[in-house]
Amino acid sequence: MNLNLRQAILQNVSGHDASQLQATIDDALQKGEEKMLPGLGVFFELLWENSDDQEHQEILDTLENSLKQM
């Protein structure tokens, strides 16, 4: 059986509106379960691939600042 986790995640949220996507993200973060990390990773991959260089820098700055606060 060939399971493509990335495609399964994308199919699961295909057609979701912004509110549904936020609920999915909030739920994953609140539960804090490691099994949710691949889905968040797929969301991050989409965000990164569909962002320009300026947005990449903003994401990186946010990540850097967040890690400094830990």
Side-chain angles (χ1 to χ4, degrees), residues 18-32:
S19 176
Q20 292 169 307
L21 291 171
Q22 181 172 351
T24 299
I25 293 167
D26 289 343
D27 184 55
L29 294 175
Q30 287 174 0
K31 288 184 178 176

Side-chain angles (χ1 to χ4, degrees), residues 32-68:
E33 297 174 359
E34 289 195 20
K35 69 180 183 179
M36 304 298 250
L37 292 175
L40 294 173
V42 170
F43 285 177
F44 182 79
E45 181 180 52
L46 287 171
L47 176 67
W48 189 264
E49 288 177 346
N50 291 285
S51 299
D52 62 25
D53 289 342
Q54 180 179 348
E55 291 166 323
H56 285 170
Q57 192 57 54
E58 290 174 17
I59 293 166
L60 293 170
D61 290 344
T62 299
L63 287 170
E64 179 183 21
N65 290 331
S66 296
L67 290 169
K68 285 179 181 177

